[in-house]
Coordinates of all heavy atoms in Angstrom, one line a residue:
M1 N -2.8 -1.7 -13.4 CA -4.1 -2.0 -14.0 C -4.9 -3.0 -13.2 O -6.1 -3.1 -13.3 CB -3.8 -2.7 -15.4 CG -3.0 -1.8 -16.3 SD -4.0 -0.4 -17.0 CE -4.6 -1.2 -18.5
C2 N -4.3 -3.6 -12.2 CA -4.9 -4.6 -11.4 C -5.3 -4.0 -10.1 O -4.8 -4.5 -9.0 CB -4.0 -5.9 -11.2 SG -3.5 -6.6 -12.8
E3 N -6.1 -3.0 -10.0 CA -6.5 -2.3 -8.8 C -5.2 -1.9 -8.0 O -5.3 -1.8 -6.8 CB -7.4 -3.2 -7.9 CG -8.7 -3.5 -8.7 CD -9.7 -4.3 -7.9 OE1 -9.7 -4.1 -6.7 OE2 -10.4 -5.1 -8.5
G4 N -4.2 -1.5 -8.7 CA -3.0 -1.0 -8.0 C -2.1 -2.1 -7.3 O -1.1 -1.7 -6.7
R5 N -2.6 -3.3 -7.3 CA -1.9 -4.3 -6.6 C -2.1 -5.7 -7.0 O -3.3 -6.1 -7.3 CB -2.2 -4.1 -5.1 CG -1.6 -5.1 -4.1 CD -2.0 -4.6 -2.7 NE -1.9 -5.8 -1.9 CZ -2.3 -5.8 -0.6 NH1 -2.8 -4.7 -0.1 NH2 -2.1 -6.9 0.1
V6 N -1.2 -6.5 -7.0 CA -1.4 -8.0 -7.2 C -0.6 -8.7 -6.1 O 0.4 -8.2 -5.6 CB -0.8 -8.4 -8.6 CG1 -1.6 -7.9 -9.7 CG2 0.6 -8.2 -8.8
D7 N -1.1 -9.9 -5.7 CA -0.5 -10.7 -4.7 C 0.2 -11.9 -5.5 O -0.4 -12.6 -6.2 CB -1.4 -11.3 -3.7 CG -1.8 -10.1 -2.8 OD1 -1.2 -9.2 -2.7 OD2 -2.9 -10.4 -2.1
V8 N 1.5 -12.0 -5.3 CA 2.3 -13.1 -5.9 C 3.2 -13.6 -4.8 O 3.9 -13.0 -4.1 CB 3.2 -12.7 -7.1 CG1 4.0 -13.8 -7.6 CG2 2.3 -12.0 -8.1
I9 N 3.0 -14.9 -4.5 CA 3.9 -15.6 -3.5 C 5.2 -16.0 -4.2 O 5.2 -16.6 -5.2 CB 3.3 -16.9 -3.0 CG1 1.8 -16.7 -2.5 CG2 4.1 -17.5 -2.0 CD1 1.7 -15.9 -1.3
Q10 N 6.3 -15.4 -3.6 CA 7.6 -15.7 -4.1 C 8.5 -16.1 -3.0 O 8.4 -15.7 -1.9 CB 8.3 -14.4 -4.7 CG 7.7 -13.9 -6.0 CD 8.6 -12.9 -6.6 OE1 8.7 -11.7 -6.3 NE2 9.3 -13.3 -7.6
G11 N 9.5 -17.0 -3.3 CA 10.4 -17.4 -2.3 C 11.3 -16.2 -2.0 O 11.5 -15.4 -2.9
V12 N 11.9 -16.3 -0.8 CA 12.8 -15.1 -0.4 C 14.0 -14.9 -1.3 O 14.5 -13.9 -1.5 CB 13.1 -15.1 1.1 CG1 12.0 -14.9 1.9 CG2 13.8 -16.5 1.4
N13 N 14.4 -16.0 -2.0 CA 15.6 -16.0 -2.7 C 15.3 -15.9 -4.2 O 16.2 -15.9 -5.0 CB 16.5 -17.3 -2.5 CG 17.0 -17.3 -1.1 OD1 17.4 -16.2 -0.6 ND2 17.1 -18.4 -0.4
E14 N 14.0 -15.9 -4.5 CA 13.6 -15.7 -5.9 C 13.9 -14.3 -6.4 O 13.8 -13.4 -5.6 CB 12.1 -16.0 -6.1 CG 11.8 -17.3 -6.7 CD 10.3 -17.5 -6.8 OE1 9.7 -17.9 -5.8 OE2 9.7 -17.3 -7.9
E15 N 14.2 -14.2 -7.7 CA 14.4 -12.9 -8.2 C 13.0 -12.1 -8.2 O 12.0 -12.7 -8.5 CB 14.8 -13.0 -9.6 CG 15.6 -11.7 -10.1 CD 16.1 -12.0 -11.6 OE1 16.6 -13.0 -11.9 OE2 16.0 -10.9 -12.3
T16 N 13.1 -10.9 -7.7 CA 11.9 -10.1 -7.6 C 11.3 -9.8 -8.9 O 11.8 -9.6 -9.9 CB 12.2 -8.6 -7.0 OG1 13.0 -8.9 -5.8 CG2 11.1 -7.9 -6.8
L17 N 9.9 -10.1 -8.9 CA 9.1 -9.9 -10.1 C 9.2 -8.3 -10.6 O 9.0 -7.5 -9.8 CB 7.7 -10.3 -9.7 CG 6.7 -10.7 -10.8 CD1 7.2 -12.1 -11.4 CD2 5.3 -10.8 -10.2
K18 N 9.4 -8.2 -11.8 CA 9.5 -6.9 -12.4 C 8.2 -6.4 -13.0 O 8.0 -5.2 -13.1 CB 10.7 -6.8 -13.4 CG 12.0 -7.1 -12.8 CD 12.6 -5.8 -12.1 CE 14.1 -5.9 -11.8 NZ 14.5 -7.1 -11.0
H19 N 7.5 -7.3 -13.5 CA 6.3 -6.9 -14.3 C 5.1 -7.8 -13.8 O 5.3 -9.0 -13.5 CB 6.5 -7.1 -15.8 CG 7.6 -6.1 -16.3 ND1 8.9 -6.4 -16.4 CD2 7.5 -4.9 -16.7 CE1 9.6 -5.4 -16.8 NE2 8.8 -4.4 -17.0
C20 N 4.0 -7.2 -13.8 CA 2.8 -7.9 -13.4 C 2.5 -9.0 -14.4 O 2.5 -8.7 -15.6 CB 1.6 -6.9 -13.4 SG 0.0 -7.6 -13.1
P21 N 2.3 -10.2 -13.8 CA 2.0 -11.4 -14.8 C 0.7 -11.3 -15.5 O 0.5 -11.9 -16.5 CB 2.0 -12.6 -13.8 CG 2.0 -12.1 -12.4 CD 2.3 -10.6 -12.4
W22 N -0.2 -10.4 -15.1 CA -1.5 -10.3 -15.7 C -1.6 -9.2 -16.7 O -2.0 -9.3 -17.8 CB -2.6 -10.2 -14.6 CG -2.8 -11.5 -13.9 CD1 -3.4 -12.5 -14.3 CD2 -2.1 -11.8 -12.6 NE1 -3.3 -13.6 -13.4 CE2 -2.5 -13.2 -12.4 CE3 -1.3 -11.1 -11.8 CZ2 -2.0 -13.8 -11.2 CZ3 -0.8 -11.8 -10.7 CH2 -1.2 -13.1 -10.4
C23 N -1.1 -7.9 -16.3 CA -1.3 -6.8 -17.2 C 0.1 -6.4 -17.8 O 0.1 -5.6 -18.7 CB -2.0 -5.7 -16.6 SG -0.9 -4.8 -15.3
G24 N 1.1 -6.9 -17.2 CA 2.5 -6.6 -17.8 C 3.1 -5.2 -17.4 O 4.2 -4.9 -17.7
L25 N 2.4 -4.5 -16.5 CA 2.9 -3.2 -16.1 C 4.0 -3.5 -15.0 O 4.1 -4.5 -14.4 CB 1.9 -2.3 -15.4 CG 0.8 -1.7 -16.4 CD1 -0.1 -0.7 -15.6 CD2 1.6 -0.8 -17.5
E26 N 4.9 -2.5 -14.9 CA 5.9 -2.5 -13.9 C 5.4 -2.7 -12.5 O 4.5 -2.0 -12.2 CB 6.8 -1.4 -14.1 CG 8.3 -1.6 -13.6 CD 9.1 -0.4 -13.9 OE1 9.1 0.2 -15.1 OE2 9.8 0.1 -13.0
V27 N 6.0 -3.6 -11.7 CA 5.7 -3.7 -10.3 C 6.8 -3.6 -9.4 O 8.0 -3.8 -9.8 CB 5.0 -5.0 -10.1 CG1 3.5 -5.1 -10.8 CG2 5.8 -6.3 -10.5
R28 N 6.5 -3.3 -8.1 CA 7.6 -3.2 -7.1 C 7.2 -4.2 -6.0 O 6.0 -4.2 -5.6 CB 7.6 -1.8 -6.6 CG 8.6 -1.5 -5.5 CD 8.9 0.0 -5.4 NE 8.2 0.5 -4.3 CZ 8.5 0.5 -3.0 NH1 9.6 -0.2 -2.6 NH2 7.8 0.9 -2.0
R29 N 8.1 -4.8 -5.4 CA 7.8 -5.8 -4.3 C 7.6 -5.2 -3.1 O 8.3 -4.3 -2.6 CB 8.8 -6.9 -4.2 CG 8.6 -7.8 -3.1 CD 9.2 -9.1 -3.3 NE 10.6 -9.0 -2.9 CZ 11.4 -10.1 -2.8 NH1 11.0 -11.3 -3.1 NH2 12.7 -10.0 -2.5
I30 N 6.4 -5.6 -2.4 CA 6.2 -5.2 -1.0 C 6.1 -6.4 -0.2 O 5.3 -7.3 -0.5 CB 4.8 -4.4 -0.9 CG1 4.9 -3.1 -1.7 CG2 4.5 -4.2 0.6 CD1 3.5 -2.5 -1.8
V31 N 7.0 -6.5 0.7 CA 7.0 -7.8 1.5 C 5.9 -7.7 2.5 O 5.8 -6.7 3.2 CB 8.4 -8.0 2.2 CG1 8.3 -9.2 3.1 CG2 9.5 -8.0 1.2
S32 N 5.0 -8.7 2.4 CA 3.9 -8.6 3.4 C 4.2 -9.2 4.7 O 5.2 -9.9 4.9 CB 2.7 -9.4 2.8 OG 3.1 -10.8 2.7
R33 N 3.4 -8.8 5.7 CA 3.6 -9.4 7.0 C 3.3 -10.8 6.9 O 2.2 -11.2 6.4 CB 2.5 -8.7 8.0 CG 2.9 -7.2 8.4 CD 1.8 -6.5 8.9 NE 0.9 -6.2 7.9 CZ -0.4 -5.9 8.2 NH1 -0.8 -5.7 9.3 NH2 -1.2 -5.5 7.1
A34 N 4.1 -11.6 7.4 CA 3.9 -13.1 7.2 C 3.9 -13.7 8.6 O 4.7 -13.2 9.5 CB 4.9 -13.7 6.3
T35 N 3.2 -14.7 8.8 CA 3.4 -15.4 10.1 C 3.8 -16.8 9.8 O 3.4 -17.4 8.8 CB 2.0 -15.6 10.9 OG1 1.1 -16.2 9.9 CG2 1.5 -14.2 11.3
F36 N 4.8 -17.3 10.5 CA 5.2 -18.6 10.3 C 5.7 -19.2 11.6 O 6.0 -18.5 12.6 CB 6.4 -18.7 9.3 CG 7.5 -17.8 9.6 CD1 8.6 -18.4 10.3 CD2 7.6 -16.5 9.2 CE1 9.7 -17.6 10.6 CE2 8.7 -15.7 9.6 CZ 9.8 -16.3 10.2
K37 N 5.7 -20.5 11.7 CA 6.1 -21.1 12.9 C 7.4 -21.8 12.7 O 7.6 -22.5 11.6 CB 5.0 -22.2 13.2 CG 4.8 -22.7 14.6 CD 3.6 -23.5 14.7 CE 3.5 -24.2 16.0 NZ 2.4 -25.0 16.1
I38 N 8.2 -21.8 13.7 CA 9.5 -22.4 13.6 C 9.3 -23.8 14.2 O 9.0 -24.0 15.3 CB 10.6 -21.6 14.4 CG1 10.8 -20.2 13.7 CG2 11.9 -22.4 14.4 CD1 11.5 -19.2 14.6
A39 N 9.7 -24.8 13.4 CA 9.6 -26.1 13.8 C 10.4 -26.4 15.0 O 11.6 -25.9 15.2 CB 10.0 -27.1 12.7
G40 N 9.9 -27.2 16.0 CA 10.7 -27.5 17.1 C 10.4 -26.7 18.4 O 11.1 -26.7 19.3
A41 N 9.5 -25.9 18.3 CA 9.0 -25.0 19.4 C 10.1 -24.3 20.1 O 10.4 -24.6 21.2 CB 8.2 -25.9 20.4
I42 N 10.7 -23.4 19.4 CA 11.8 -22.7 19.9 C 11.2 -21.5 20.8 O 10.4 -20.7 20.2 CB 12.8 -22.1 18.9 CG1 13.5 -23.3 18.2 CG2 13.8 -21.2 19.6 CD1 14.1 -22.9 16.9
T43 N 11.5 -21.3 22.0 CA 11.0 -20.2 22.7 C 11.7 -18.9 22.3 O 12.8 -18.9 21.7 CB 11.2 -20.3 24.2 OG1 12.6 -20.4 24.5 CG2 10.5 -21.7 24.7
K44 N 11.1 -17.8 22.5 CA 11.7 -16.5 22.2 C 13.1 -16.4 22.8 O 14.0 -15.9 22.1 CB 10.8 -15.4 22.6 CG 11.1 -14.1 22.0 CD 10.2 -13.0 22.4 CE 10.5 -12.5 23.8 NZ 9.7 -11.4 24.3
D45 N 13.2 -16.8 24.0 CA 14.4 -16.5 24.7 C 15.5 -17.5 24.3 O 16.7 -17.3 24.3 CB 14.3 -16.8 26.2 CG 13.4 -15.6 26.8 OD1 13.4 -14.5 26.2 OD2 12.8 -15.9 27.9
G46 N 15.1 -18.7 23.7 CA 16.1 -19.7 23.2 C 16.5 -19.5 21.8 O 17.4 -20.1 21.3
A47 N 15.8 -18.6 21.1 CA 16.1 -18.4 19.6 C 17.5 -18.1 19.3 O 18.0 -18.6 18.4 CB 15.1 -17.4 19.1
G48 N 18.1 -17.2 20.2 CA 19.4 -16.7 19.9 C 20.4 -17.9 19.9 O 21.3 -18.0 19.1
K49 N 20.2 -18.8 20.9 CA 21.1 -20.0 20.9 C 21.0 -20.9 19.8 O 21.8 -21.6 19.5 CB 20.8 -20.8 22.3 CG 21.2 -20.0 23.5 CD 21.0 -20.8 24.8 CE 21.2 -20.1 26.1 NZ 19.9 -19.2 26.3
K50 N 19.8 -20.9 19.2 CA 19.6 -21.8 18.0 C 19.9 -21.1 16.7 O 19.7 -21.6 15.6 CB 18.1 -22.1 17.9 CG 17.6 -22.8 19.1 CD 17.6 -24.3 19.0 CE 16.9 -25.0 20.2 NZ 16.8 -26.4 20.1
G51 N 20.6 -19.9 16.8 CA 21.0 -19.2 15.6 C 20.0 -18.3 15.0 O 20.4 -17.7 13.9
F52 N 18.9 -18.0 15.6 CA 18.1 -16.9 15.1 C 18.4 -15.6 15.9 O 18.9 -15.5 16.9 CB 16.6 -17.3 15.4 CG 16.2 -18.5 14.7 CD1 16.3 -19.8 15.2 CD2 15.6 -18.4 13.5 CE1 15.9 -20.9 14.4 CE2 15.1 -19.4 12.7 CZ 15.3 -20.7 13.2
T53 N 18.0 -14.6 15.2 CA 18.0 -13.3 15.8 C 16.6 -12.7 16.0 O 15.8 -12.9 15.1 CB 18.8 -12.3 14.9 OG1 20.1 -12.8 14.6 CG2 18.9 -10.9 15.5
T54 N 16.3 -12.3 17.3 CA 15.0 -11.8 17.5 C 15.1 -10.2 17.7 O 16.1 -9.7 18.2 CB 14.3 -12.4 18.7 OG1 15.2 -12.2 19.8 CG2 14.1 -13.9 18.5
F55 N 14.0 -9.6 17.4 CA 14.0 -8.1 17.4 C 12.6 -7.7 18.1 O 11.6 -8.4 18.1 CB 14.0 -7.5 16.0 CG 15.2 -7.7 15.3 CD1 15.4 -8.9 14.5 CD2 16.2 -6.8 15.3 CE1 16.5 -9.1 13.8 CE2 17.5 -7.1 14.6 CZ 17.6 -8.3 13.9
R56 N 12.7 -6.6 18.7 CA 11.4 -6.0 19.2 C 11.2 -4.6 18.5 O 12.3 -3.9 18.3 CB 11.4 -5.8 20.7 CG 12.3 -4.8 21.3 CD 12.1 -4.6 22.8 NE 12.9 -3.4 23.2 CZ 12.4 -2.1 23.1 NH1 11.2 -1.9 22.6 NH2 13.2 -1.2 23.4
R57 N 10.0 -4.2 18.3 CA 9.7 -3.0 17.6 C 10.0 -1.8 18.5 O 9.4 -1.8 19.7 CB 8.3 -2.9 17.2 CG 7.9 -1.8 16.4 CD 6.4 -2.0 15.9 NE 5.9 -1.0 14.9 CZ 5.3 0.1 15.4 NH1 5.2 0.5 16.6 NH2 5.0 1.0 14.3
A58 N 10.9 -0.9 18.2 CA 11.3 0.2 19.1 C 10.4 1.4 18.7 O 9.8 2.1 19.6 CB 12.7 0.6 18.9
E59 N 10.2 1.6 17.5 CA 9.4 2.7 17.0 C 9.0 2.4 15.5 O 9.5 1.4 15.0 CB 10.0 4.1 17.2 CG 11.3 4.3 16.4 CD 12.0 5.6 16.8 OE1 11.6 6.6 16.1 OE2 12.8 5.7 17.6
K60 N 8.2 3.3 15.0 CA 7.8 3.0 13.6 C 9.0 2.8 12.7 O 9.8 3.7 12.5 CB 6.9 4.1 13.1 CG 6.2 3.8 11.8 CD 5.2 4.9 11.5 CE 4.2 4.5 10.5 NZ 3.1 5.4 10.4
G61 N 9.1 1.6 12.2 CA 10.2 1.3 11.1 C 11.5 1.0 11.7 O 12.5 0.8 11.1
I62 N 11.6 1.0 13.1 CA 12.8 0.7 13.8 C 12.6 -0.6 14.7 O 11.7 -0.6 15.6 CB 13.3 1.9 14.7 CG1 13.3 3.2 13.9 CG2 14.7 1.6 15.3 CD1 14.5 3.5 13.1
W63 N 13.5 -1.5 14.6 CA 13.4 -2.7 15.3 C 14.8 -2.9 16.0 O 15.8 -2.9 15.4 CB 13.1 -4.0 14.5 CG 11.7 -3.9 13.9 CD1 11.4 -3.1 12.8 CD2 10.6 -4.6 14.3 NE1 10.0 -3.2 12.5 CE2 9.5 -4.2 13.5 CE3 10.3 -5.5 15.3 CZ2 8.2 -4.6 13.6 CZ3 9.0 -6.0 15.4 CH2 8.1 -5.6 14.6
E64 N 14.8 -3.2 17.3 CA 16.1 -3.4 18.1 C 16.2 -4.9 18.4 O 15.3 -5.5 18.7 CB 15.9 -2.6 19.5 CG 16.0 -1.2 19.3 CD 15.8 -0.5 20.6 OE1 15.4 -1.2 21.6 OE2 15.9 0.7 20.7
K65 N 17.4 -5.3 18.3 CA 17.7 -6.7 18.5 C 17.5 -7.1 20.0 O 17.9 -6.3 20.9 CB 19.2 -7.0 18.1 CG 19.6 -8.4 18.4 CD 20.9 -8.8 17.8 CE 22.0 -8.2 18.8 NZ 23.4 -8.6 18.2
T66 N 16.9 -8.2 20.3 CA 16.7 -8.6 21.6 C 17.6 -9.8 21.8 O 17.9 -10.2 23.0 CB 15.3 -9.0 21.9 OG1 14.8 -9.9 21.1 CG2 14.5 -7.7 22.0
D67 N 18.0 -10.6 20.9 CA 18.8 -11.8 21.0 C 19.3 -12.2 19.7 O 18.8 -11.9 18.7 CB 17.9 -12.9 21.6 CG 18.7 -14.0 22.3 OD1 20.0 -13.8 22.3 OD2 18.1 -15.0 22.6
G68 N 20.4 -13.0 19.8 CA 21.0 -13.5 18.5 C 22.2 -12.7 18.0 O 22.6 -11.7 18.7
E69 N 22.7 -13.1 16.9 CA 24.1 -12.4 16.4 C 23.8 -11.5 15.2 O 24.7 -11.1 14.6 CB 25.0 -13.5 16.0 CG 25.3 -14.5 17.2 CD 26.5 -15.2 17.0 OE1 27.0 -15.3 15.9 OE2 26.9 -15.8 18.0
G70 N 22.5 -11.2 14.9 CA 22.3 -10.3 13.7 C 22.5 -8.9 14.1 O 23.1 -8.6 15.1
P71 N 22.2 -8.0 13.2 CA 22.4 -6.5 13.4 C 21.7 -6.1 14.7 O 20.7 -6.6 15.0 CB 21.9 -5.9 12.1 CG 21.0 -6.9 11.5 CD 21.5 -8.3 11.9
D72 N 22.3 -5.0 15.3 CA 21.7 -4.5 16.5 C 20.4 -3.7 16.2 O 19.5 -3.8 17.1 CB 22.7 -3.4 17.2 CG 23.9 -4.1 17.8 OD1 23.8 -5.4 18.1 OD2 24.9 -3.5 17.9
V73 N 20.3 -3.2 15.1 CA 19.1 -2.4 14.8 C 18.6 -2.7 13.3 O 19.5 -2.8 12.5 CB 19.3 -0.9 15.0 CG1 18.0 -0.1 14.4 CG2 19.6 -0.6 16.4
L74 N 17.4 -2.9 13.1 CA 16.9 -2.9 11.7 C 16.0 -1.7 11.5 O 15.2 -1.4 12.4 CB 15.9 -4.2 11.5 CG 16.6 -5.5 11.5 CD1 15.5 -6.6 11.3 CD2 17.7 -5.7 10.5
S75 N 16.3 -1.1 10.4 CA 15.4 0.1 10.2 C 15.0 0.2 8.7 O 15.7 -0.2 7.9 CB 16.2 1.5 10.5 OG 17.3 1.5 9.7
G76 N 13.7 0.5 8.6 CA 13.1 0.6 7.2 C 13.4 2.0 6.6 O 13.6 2.9 7.3
T77 N 13.5 2.0 5.3 CA 13.7 3.3 4.6 C 12.3 3.9 4.7 O 11.3 3.3 4.9 CB 14.2 3.1 3.2 OG1 13.1 2.4 2.5 CG2 15.4 2.3 3.1
K78 N 12.3 5.2 4.3 CA 11.0 5.9 4.1 C 10.1 5.2 3.2 O 8.9 5.1 3.4 CB 11.3 7.4 3.6 CG 11.2 8.4 4.6 CD 11.1 9.7 3.9 CE 12.2 10.7 4.3 NZ 12.3 11.9 3.6
D79 N 10.6 4.7 2.1 CA 9.8 4.0 1.1 C 9.2 2.7 1.7 O 8.1 2.3 1.4 CB 10.7 3.6 -0.1 CG 10.9 4.8 -1.0 OD1 10.3 5.9 -0.8 OD2 11.7 4.6 -2.0
D80 N 10.1 2.0 2.5 CA 9.6 0.8 3.2 C 8.4 1.1 4.1 O 7.4 0.4 4.1 CB 10.7 0.1 4.0 CG 11.8 -0.5 3.3 OD1 11.6 -0.8 2.0 OD2 13.0 -0.6 3.7
I81 N 8.6 2.1 4.9 CA 7.5 2.5 5.8 C 6.2 2.9 5.1 O 5.1 2.5 5.4 CB 8.0 3.6 6.8 CG1 9.1 3.1 7.7 CG2 6.8 4.2 7.6 CD1 10.0 4.2 8.4
A82 N 6.4 3.7 4.0 CA 5.3 4.1 3.2 C 4.6 2.9 2.5 O 3.4 2.8 2.4 CB 5.8 5.1 2.1
A83 N 5.4 1.9 2.1 CA 4.8 0.7 1.5 C 4.0 -0.1 2.5 O 2.9 -0.6 2.2 CB 6.0 -0.1 0.9
V84 N 4.5 -0.2 3.7 CA 3.8 -0.9 4.8 C 2.4 -0.2 5.1 O 1.4 -0.8 5.2 CB 4.6 -1.1 6.1 CG1 3.8 -1.7 7.2 CG2 5.8 -2.0 5.8
D85 N 2.6 1.1 5.2 CA 1.4 2.0 5.5 C 0.4 1.8 4.3 O -0.8 1.7 4.6 CB 1.7 3.4 5.6 CG 2.4 3.7 7.0 OD1 2.2 2.8 7.9 OD2 2.9 4.8 7.2
A86 N 0.9 1.8 3.1 CA 0.0 1.6 2.0 C -0.7 0.3 2.0 O -1.9 0.2 1.6 CB 0.8 1.8 0.6
E87 N -0.1 -0.7 2.5 CA -0.6 -2.1 2.5 C -1.7 -2.1 3.6 O -2.7 -2.8 3.4 CB 0.5 -3.1 2.8 CG -0.1 -4.5 2.8 CD 0.9 -5.5 2.8 OE1 2.1 -5.2 2.5 OE2 0.6 -6.7 3.0
K88 N -1.5 -1.4 4.7 CA -2.5 -1.4 5.7 C -3.8 -0.6 5.3 O -4.9 -0.8 5.8 CB -2.0 -0.7 7.0 CG -1.0 -1.6 7.7 CD -0.4 -0.9 8.9 CE 0.7 -1.7 9.6 NZ 1.5 -0.9 10.5
A89 N -3.5 0.4 4.4 CA -4.7 1.3 4.0 C -5.6 0.5 3.1 O -5.2 -0.4 2.4 CB -4.1 2.5 3.3
P90 N -6.9 0.9 3.2 CA -7.8 0.2 2.2 C -7.4 0.5 0.7 O -6.8 1.6 0.5 CB -9.1 0.9 2.5 CG -8.9 2.1 3.3 CD -7.5 1.9 3.9
P91 N -7.7 -0.4 -0.2 CA -7.3 -0.2 -1.6 C -7.9 1.1 -2.1 O -9.0 1.5 -1.8 CB -7.9 -1.4 -2.2 CG -8.7 -2.1 -1.3 CD -8.5 -1.5 0.1
K92 N -7.1 1.7 -3.0 CA -7.6 2.9 -3.7 C -8.7 2.5 -4.7 O -8.7 1.4 -5.1 CB -6.4 3.6 -4.3 CG -5.5 4.2 -3.3 CD -4.5 5.2 -4.0 CE -3.6 5.9 -2.9 NZ -2.3 5.2 -2.9
K93 N -9.4 3.6 -5.1 CA -10.5 3.2 -6.0 C -9.8 2.8 -7.4 O -8.7 3.1 -7.8 CB -11.4 4.4 -6.3 CG -10.8 5.5 -7.2 CD -11.8 6.5 -7.5 CE -11.3 7.5 -8.4 NZ -11.9 8.1 -9.4
V94 N -10.6 1.9 -8.0 CA -10.2 1.3 -9.3 C -10.1 2.4 -10.3 O -10.9 3.2 -10.4 CB -11.1 0.2 -9.7 CG1 -10.8 -0.4 -11.0 CG2 -11.2 -0.9 -8.6
I95 N -9.0 2.3 -11.1 CA -8.9 3.3 -12.2 C -9.9 2.9 -13.3 O -9.9 1.7 -13.8 CB -7.5 3.3 -12.8 CG1 -6.5 3.8 -11.7 CG2 -7.4 4.2 -14.0 CD1 -5.1 3.4 -12.0
D96 N -10.7 3.8 -13.7 CA -11.8 3.5 -14.8 C -11.2 4.1 -16.1 O -11.2 5.3 -16.3 CB -13.0 4.0 -14.4 CG -14.1 3.7 -15.3 OD1 -13.8 3.0 -16.4 OD2 -15.3 4.1 -15.2
L97 N -10.8 3.2 -17.0 CA -10.2 3.6 -18.2 C -11.2 4.3 -19.1 O -10.9 5.1 -20.1 CB -9.5 2.6 -18.9 CG -8.3 1.9 -18.3 CD1 -7.7 0.8 -19.0 CD2 -7.2 3.0 -18.1
D98 N -12.4 4.0 -18.9 CA -13.5 4.5 -19.8 C -14.0 5.9 -19.2 O -14.7 6.5 -20.0 CB -14.7 3.5 -19.8 CG -14.4 2.2 -20.4 OD1 -13.6 2.3 -21.4 OD2 -14.9 1.2 -20.1
S99 N -13.5 6.3 -18.1 CA -14.0 7.5 -17.5 C -13.4 8.7 -18.3 O -12.3 8.6 -18.9 CB -13.5 7.6 -16.1 OG -13.4 9.0 -15.7
S100 N -14.2 9.7 -18.5 CA -13.8 10.8 -19.3 C -13.3 11.9 -18.4 O -13.1 13.1 -18.9 CB -14.9 11.3 -20.2 OG -16.1 11.7 -19.4
D101 N -12.9 11.6 -17.2 CA -12.3 12.7 -16.4 C -11.0 13.2 -17.0 O -10.3 12.4 -17.5 CB -12.0 12.1 -14.9 CG -13.2 11.9 -14.1 OD1 -14.3 12.3 -14.6 OD2 -13.1 11.4 -12.9
S102 N -10.8 14.5 -16.7 CA -9.5 15.0 -17.4 C -8.8 15.8 -16.4 O -8.4 17.0 -16.7 CB -9.9 15.8 -18.7 OG -10.8 16.8 -18.4
D103 N -8.6 15.3 -15.2 CA -7.7 16.1 -14.2 C -6.3 15.6 -14.1 O -5.8 15.0 -14.9 CB -8.5 16.0 -12.8 CG -8.7 14.5 -12.3 OD1 -8.5 13.6 -13.2 OD2 -8.9 14.4 -11.1
Ligands
LIG201 ZN1 -1.4 -6.0 -13.3

């Protein structure tokens, strides 16, 4: 009901929101691209020694580890990739409940 999308900031450990706080319809979480800075100016090359795992994008939805002790490869599911693509796409037209279209 909210133009197909609402933005809610949640902590990574918070339970995923199941329903839209405004209209109450069921929602699914899409993790947005976020930028953040690691305190202490860790260089990319030093990140592994500080306990971080770094990845480089190998292809769409596939990320290969470059440093650290995390998994060798991260891969998104088809749904994840579709969700990211949907986020990049311009918003779909607003559903007009008063419209008398019957398709
Ligand atoms: Zn809503």
Side-chain angles (χ1 to χ4, degrees):
M1 299 292 268
C2 304
E3 298 183 32
R5 177 172 156 188
V6 293
D7 288 340
V8 179
I9 307 287
Q10 289 196 281
V12 288
N13 294 322
E14 251 181 286
E15 203 178 317
T16 305
L17 205 63
K18 295 277 195 301
H19 296 92
C20 175
W22 291 277
C23 72
L25 286 185
E26 205 172 310
V27 291
R28 180 164 99 79
R29 175 154 78 173
I30 295 171
V31 178
S32 63
R33 287 164 288 165
T35 54
F36 58 91
K37 203 171 168 182
I38 297 164
I42 298 166
T43 62
K44 193 180 75 176
D45 293 336
K49 292 187 189 74
K50 302 265 186 174
F52 292 91
T53 303
T54 54
F55 296 88
R56 71 170 190 84
R57 186 177 187 268
E59 56 187 279
K60 193 171 197 172
I62 310 275
W63 295 75
E64 289 174 352
K65 181 171 78 176
T66 53
D67 198 7
E69 302 197 349
D72 290 339
V73 174
L74 292 180
S75 59
T77 64
K78 255 195 237 171
D79 283 352
D80 292 335
I81 294 166
V84 171
D85 284 344
E87 182 166 348
K88 288 176 187 166
K92 292 197 176 95
K93 77 170 189 147
V94 178
I95 299 164
D96 183 357
L97 294 175
D98 295 328
S99 161
S100 56
D101 283 357
S102 57
D103 57 346

